[in-house]
Amino acid sequence: MFTPAEQGTLELRISADRLAPYRATVGGDLSRALALYAWNRDVSAAFAGTLGDLEVMMRNSMHEALAAWSAAKFGQPRWYLDPGHFLEAQAQADIAKARQRATSGGRAETPGRVVAELGFGFWRFLLASRYDRTFWVPGLRHAFPHHRGLRRTVHDTVKDLHLLRNRIAHLEPIHNRPLTTLHTASMTVAGWICPVGRRWLDEHCGVQRLLACRP
């Protein structure tokens, strides 16, 4: 237990502005605000691990689907070279930067290295309506073989998870987000990709335990 004076010191170190939304949530009580702040940190870390694993599964599945489609249609499995000239300018710029990072230090470029350098947002935007006919229908839908619905459903679910990931990355509060729904969404996307992967992700995810003991 921390004394009121020690709690005041913690508020100073964390900053009153940063603790303000937590204090507002618990009716101004500093002790409870600090407990909620610590819980927010823990559940953020748990979500970050789950979302990181999901991102790896998703980008690998999307890469495999696009590589197979591009090889069949253009004779070029490196889909990110855009042999069909479908990618918009921002996506092209993201890929150019990814290729630079992948080959830094004189390393040889490989598709795996390029894919690993493309962020969550890149994959989210590949699922947008602008690429429905060019990427989703002929190729990307196969990255989610257990999904029996619209592309929009996949995009919107991934979008929500991407926004959550960004809040966590910027150390913003997530205690006021629909965390139970977002946890379910992360497992849903994993299940669309691979039921075995979903089960593994669920077994190694600490989010539900933390949701059950929110202060």
mmCIF file of all heavy atoms in Angstrom, residues 62-86:
data_model
loop_
_atom_site.group_PDB
_atom_site.id
_atom_site.type_symbol
_atom_site.label_atom_id
_atom_site.label_comp_id
_atom_site.label_asym_id
_atom_site.label_seq_id
_atom_site.Cartn_x
_atom_site.Cartn_y
_atom_site.Cartn_z
ATOM 1 N N MET A 62 -1.921 -13.546 -45.854
ATOM 2 C CA MET A 62 -2.203 -12.637 -46.971
ATOM 3 C C MET A 62 -1.081 -12.676 -47.996
ATOM 4 O O MET A 62 -1.329 -12.667 -49.210
ATOM 5 C CB MET A 62 -2.406 -11.214 -46.433
ATOM 6 C CG MET A 62 -3.690 -11.062 -45.617
ATOM 7 S SD MET A 62 -3.891 -9.434 -44.838
ATOM 8 C CE MET A 62 -4.213 -8.399 -46.285
ATOM 9 N N HIS A 63 0.151 -12.736 -47.536
ATOM 10 C CA HIS A 63 1.292 -12.831 -48.449
ATOM 11 C C HIS A 63 1.221 -14.112 -49.276
ATOM 12 O O HIS A 63 1.415 -14.084 -50.504
ATOM 13 C CB HIS A 63 2.595 -12.793 -47.650
ATOM 14 C CG HIS A 63 3.796 -13.236 -48.424
ATOM 15 N ND1 HIS A 63 4.211 -12.613 -49.587
ATOM 16 C CD2 HIS A 63 4.672 -14.262 -48.199
ATOM 17 C CE1 HIS A 63 5.296 -13.225 -50.042
ATOM 18 N NE2 HIS A 63 5.589 -14.219 -49.229
ATOM 19 N N GLU A 64 0.925 -15.240 -48.636
ATOM 20 C CA GLU A 64 0.854 -16.509 -49.359
ATOM 21 C C GLU A 64 -0.234 -16.479 -50.426
ATOM 22 O O GLU A 64 -0.033 -16.950 -51.550
ATOM 23 C CB GLU A 64 0.592 -17.644 -48.367
ATOM 24 C CG GLU A 64 1.772 -17.956 -47.464
ATOM 25 C CD GLU A 64 1.390 -18.826 -46.277
ATOM 26 O OE1 GLU A 64 0.230 -19.306 -46.255
ATOM 27 O OE2 GLU A 64 2.232 -19.019 -45.388
ATOM 28 N N ALA A 65 -1.391 -15.904 -50.070
ATOM 29 C CA ALA A 65 -2.497 -15.839 -51.027
ATOM 30 C C ALA A 65 -2.152 -14.933 -52.204
ATOM 31 O O ALA A 65 -2.424 -15.270 -53.368
ATOM 32 C CB ALA A 65 -3.760 -15.338 -50.325
ATOM 33 N N LEU A 66 -1.540 -13.798 -51.918
ATOM 34 C CA LEU A 66 -1.183 -12.870 -52.988
ATOM 35 C C LEU A 66 -0.065 -13.416 -53.859
ATOM 36 O O LEU A 66 -0.056 -13.212 -55.089
ATOM 37 C CB LEU A 66 -0.775 -11.517 -52.386
ATOM 38 C CG LEU A 66 -1.920 -10.683 -51.812
ATOM 39 C CD1 LEU A 66 -1.374 -9.458 -51.079
ATOM 40 C CD2 LEU A 66 -2.879 -10.245 -52.913
ATOM 41 N N ALA A 67 0.886 -14.111 -53.246
ATOM 42 C CA ALA A 67 1.988 -14.686 -54.022
ATOM 43 C C ALA A 67 1.467 -15.743 -54.994
ATOM 44 O O ALA A 67 1.884 -15.792 -56.167
ATOM 45 C CB ALA A 67 3.034 -15.285 -53.084
ATOM 46 N N ALA A 68 0.560 -16.589 -54.522
ATOM 47 C CA ALA A 68 -0.002 -17.629 -55.390
ATOM 48 C C ALA A 68 -0.796 -17.008 -56.534
ATOM 49 O O ALA A 68 -0.682 -17.433 -57.699
ATOM 50 C CB ALA A 68 -0.889 -18.564 -54.572
ATOM 51 N N TRP A 69 -1.595 -15.999 -56.211
ATOM 52 C CA TRP A 69 -2.394 -15.328 -57.246
ATOM 53 C C TRP A 69 -1.500 -14.626 -58.262
ATOM 54 O O TRP A 69 -1.693 -14.748 -59.481
ATOM 55 C CB TRP A 69 -3.323 -14.318 -56.580
ATOM 56 C CG TRP A 69 -3.833 -13.261 -57.510
ATOM 57 C CD1 TRP A 69 -4.806 -13.391 -58.455
ATOM 58 C CD2 TRP A 69 -3.370 -11.907 -57.592
ATOM 59 N NE1 TRP A 69 -4.984 -12.208 -59.123
ATOM 60 C CE2 TRP A 69 -4.117 -11.278 -58.613
ATOM 61 C CE3 TRP A 69 -2.409 -11.171 -56.901
ATOM 62 C CZ2 TRP A 69 -3.925 -9.946 -58.961
ATOM 63 C CZ3 TRP A 69 -2.223 -9.849 -57.249
ATOM 64 C CH2 TRP A 69 -2.966 -9.238 -58.259
ATOM 65 N N SER A 70 -0.492 -13.887 -57.787
ATOM 66 C CA SER A 70 0.384 -13.132 -58.674
ATOM 67 C C SER A 70 1.207 -14.059 -59.563
ATOM 68 O O SER A 70 1.428 -13.769 -60.742
ATOM 69 C CB SER A 70 1.308 -12.230 -57.846
ATOM 70 O OG SER A 70 2.088 -11.401 -58.677
ATOM 71 N N ALA A 71 1.660 -15.171 -59.000
ATOM 72 C CA ALA A 71 2.440 -16.127 -59.794
ATOM 73 C C ALA A 71 1.588 -16.706 -60.918
ATOM 74 O O ALA A 71 2.053 -16.871 -62.061
ATOM 75 C CB ALA A 71 2.972 -17.234 -58.897
ATOM 76 N N ALA A 72 0.325 -17.033 -60.594
ATOM 77 C CA ALA A 72 -0.565 -17.620 -61.594
ATOM 78 C C ALA A 72 -0.962 -16.604 -62.669
ATOM 79 O O ALA A 72 -1.040 -16.940 -63.855
ATOM 80 C CB ALA A 72 -1.809 -18.177 -60.913
ATOM 81 N N LYS A 73 -1.184 -15.371 -62.272
ATOM 82 C CA LYS A 73 -1.683 -14.367 -63.220
ATOM 83 C C LYS A 73 -0.566 -13.665 -64.001
ATOM 84 O O LYS A 73 -0.703 -13.388 -65.197
ATOM 85 C CB LYS A 73 -2.519 -13.319 -62.484
ATOM 86 C CG LYS A 73 -3.180 -12.296 -63.409
ATOM 87 C CD LYS A 73 -4.149 -11.418 -62.674
ATOM 88 C CE LYS A 73 -4.825 -10.400 -63.590
ATOM 89 N NZ LYS A 73 -5.639 -11.047 -64.643
ATOM 90 N N PHE A 74 0.549 -13.394 -63.302
ATOM 91 C CA PHE A 74 1.608 -12.600 -63.934
ATOM 92 C C PHE A 74 2.935 -13.336 -64.074
ATOM 93 O O PHE A 74 3.880 -12.783 -64.642
ATOM 94 C CB PHE A 74 1.855 -11.314 -63.115
ATOM 95 C CG PHE A 74 0.635 -10.452 -62.965
ATOM 96 C CD1 PHE A 74 -0.031 -10.363 -61.748
ATOM 97 C CD2 PHE A 74 0.126 -9.730 -64.040
ATOM 98 C CE1 PHE A 74 -1.156 -9.570 -61.596
ATOM 99 C CE2 PHE A 74 -1.004 -8.931 -63.903
ATOM 100 C CZ PHE A 74 -1.648 -8.852 -62.678
ATOM 101 N N GLY A 75 3.008 -14.542 -63.540
ATOM 102 C CA GLY A 75 4.269 -15.261 -63.575
ATOM 103 C C GLY A 75 5.293 -14.667 -62.634
ATOM 104 O O GLY A 75 6.501 -14.903 -62.781
ATOM 105 N N GLN A 76 4.832 -13.897 -61.647
ATOM 106 C CA GLN A 76 5.713 -13.198 -60.709
ATOM 107 C C GLN A 76 5.128 -13.335 -59.298
ATOM 108 O O GLN A 76 4.153 -12.672 -58.956
ATOM 109 C CB GLN A 76 5.826 -11.725 -61.098
ATOM 110 C CG GLN A 76 6.519 -10.817 -60.088
ATOM 111 C CD GLN A 76 7.909 -11.271 -59.722
ATOM 112 O OE1 GLN A 76 8.101 -12.094 -58.836
ATOM 113 N NE2 GLN A 76 8.893 -10.730 -60.438
ATOM 114 N N PRO A 77 5.721 -14.207 -58.472
ATOM 115 C CA PRO A 77 5.178 -14.380 -57.124
ATOM 116 C C PRO A 77 5.401 -13.187 -56.205
ATOM 117 O O PRO A 77 4.725 -13.067 -55.184
ATOM 118 C CB PRO A 77 5.924 -15.618 -56.605
ATOM 119 C CG PRO A 77 7.197 -15.638 -57.384
ATOM 120 C CD PRO A 77 6.837 -15.121 -58.738
ATOM 121 N N ARG A 78 6.323 -12.302 -56.577
ATOM 122 C CA ARG A 78 6.556 -11.121 -55.739
ATOM 123 C C ARG A 78 5.485 -10.077 -56.061
ATOM 124 O O ARG A 78 5.727 -9.096 -56.754
ATOM 125 C CB ARG A 78 7.968 -10.576 -55.961
ATOM 126 C CG ARG A 78 9.068 -11.502 -55.437
ATOM 127 C CD ARG A 78 10.439 -10.900 -55.616
ATOM 128 N NE ARG A 78 10.769 -10.734 -57.031
ATOM 129 C CZ ARG A 78 11.819 -10.055 -57.491
ATOM 130 N NH1 ARG A 78 12.642 -9.444 -56.646
ATOM 131 N NH2 ARG A 78 12.054 -9.981 -58.785
ATOM 132 N N TRP A 79 4.323 -10.299 -55.499
ATOM 133 C CA TRP A 79 3.163 -9.450 -55.751
ATOM 134 C C TRP A 79 3.409 -7.999 -55.390
ATOM 135 O O TRP A 79 2.815 -7.082 -55.972
ATOM 136 C CB TRP A 79 1.968 -9.972 -54.948
ATOM 137 C CG TRP A 79 2.256 -10.011 -53.479
ATOM 138 C CD1 TRP A 79 2.808 -11.045 -52.789
ATOM 139 C CD2 TRP A 79 2.080 -8.940 -52.548
ATOM 140 N NE1 TRP A 79 2.981 -10.699 -51.458
ATOM 141 C CE2 TRP A 79 2.542 -9.421 -51.288
ATOM 142 C CE3 TRP A 79 1.573 -7.653 -52.634
ATOM 143 C CZ2 TRP A 79 2.513 -8.629 -50.142
ATOM 144 C CZ3 TRP A 79 1.539 -6.871 -51.498
ATOM 145 C CH2 TRP A 79 1.999 -7.362 -50.259
ATOM 146 N N TYR A 80 4.299 -7.775 -54.406
ATOM 147 C CA TYR A 80 4.553 -6.417 -53.932
ATOM 148 C C TYR A 80 5.307 -5.574 -54.963
ATOM 149 O O TYR A 80 5.431 -4.353 -54.806
ATOM 150 C CB TYR A 80 5.298 -6.437 -52.591
ATOM 151 C CG TYR A 80 6.585 -7.233 -52.586
ATOM 152 C CD1 TYR A 80 7.772 -6.688 -53.053
ATOM 153 C CD2 TYR A 80 6.605 -8.542 -52.110
ATOM 154 C CE1 TYR A 80 8.950 -7.427 -53.050
ATOM 155 C CE2 TYR A 80 7.769 -9.292 -52.102
ATOM 156 C CZ TYR A 80 8.946 -8.724 -52.576
ATOM 157 O OH TYR A 80 10.114 -9.464 -52.581
ATOM 158 N N LEU A 81 5.806 -6.222 -56.043
ATOM 159 C CA LEU A 81 6.382 -5.455 -57.149
ATOM 160 C C LEU A 81 5.288 -4.866 -58.031
ATOM 161 O O LEU A 81 5.573 -4.118 -58.964
ATOM 162 C CB LEU A 81 7.311 -6.345 -57.987
ATOM 163 C CG LEU A 81 8.529 -6.913 -57.248
ATOM 164 C CD1 LEU A 81 9.383 -7.750 -58.200
ATOM 165 C CD2 LEU A 81 9.369 -5.796 -56.633
ATOM 166 N N ASP A 82 4.057 -5.228 -57.741
ATOM 167 C CA ASP A 82 2.856 -4.680 -58.387
ATOM 168 C C ASP A 82 2.861 -4.885 -59.898
ATOM 169 O O ASP A 82 2.728 -3.914 -60.668
ATOM 170 C CB ASP A 82 2.727 -3.186 -58.067
ATOM 171 C CG ASP A 82 1.329 -2.641 -58.345
ATOM 172 O OD1 ASP A 82 0.381 -3.451 -58.412
ATOM 173 O OD2 ASP A 82 1.186 -1.408 -58.479
ATOM 174 N N PRO A 83 2.997 -6.134 -60.354
ATOM 175 C CA PRO A 83 3.022 -6.370 -61.803
ATOM 176 C C PRO A 83 1.732 -5.969 -62.508
ATOM 177 O O PRO A 83 1.738 -5.683 -63.709
ATOM 178 C CB PRO A 83 3.268 -7.883 -61.908
ATOM 179 C CG PRO A 83 2.805 -8.443 -60.600
ATOM 180 C CD PRO A 83 3.133 -7.388 -59.591
ATOM 181 N N GLY A 84 0.633 -5.916 -61.781
ATOM 182 C CA GLY A 84 -0.632 -5.512 -62.395
ATOM 183 C C GLY A 84 -0.917 -4.031 -62.283
ATOM 184 O O GLY A 84 -1.932 -3.548 -62.766
ATOM 185 N N HIS A 85 -0.026 -3.300 -61.620
ATOM 186 C CA HIS A 85 -0.174 -1.845 -61.415
ATOM 187 C C HIS A 85 -1.490 -1.512 -60.718
ATOM 188 O O HIS A 85 -2.240 -0.630 -61.134
ATOM 189 C CB HIS A 85 -0.086 -1.099 -62.763
ATOM 190 C CG HIS A 85 1.151 -1.413 -63.536
ATOM 191 N ND1 HIS A 85 2.407 -0.983 -63.152
ATOM 192 C CD2 HIS A 85 1.337 -2.152 -64.672
ATOM 193 C CE1 HIS A 85 3.302 -1.415 -64.011
ATOM 194 N NE2 HIS A 85 2.691 -2.135 -64.937
ATOM 195 N N PHE A 86 -1.750 -2.216 -59.616
ATOM 196 C CA PHE A 86 -2.980 -2.033 -58.871
ATOM 197 C C PHE A 86 -2.796 -1.194 -57.603
ATOM 198 O O PHE A 86 -3.753 -0.616 -57.102
ATOM 199 C CB PHE A 86 -3.565 -3.387 -58.466
ATOM 200 C CG PHE A 86 -3.946 -4.275 -59.620
ATOM 201 C CD1 PHE A 86 -3.666 -5.633 -59.595
ATOM 202 C CD2 PHE A 86 -4.597 -3.763 -60.741
ATOM 203 C CE1 PHE A 86 -4.021 -6.461 -60.646
ATOM 204 C CE2 PHE A 86 -4.959 -4.576 -61.801
ATOM 205 C CZ PHE A 86 -4.667 -5.931 -61.757
#
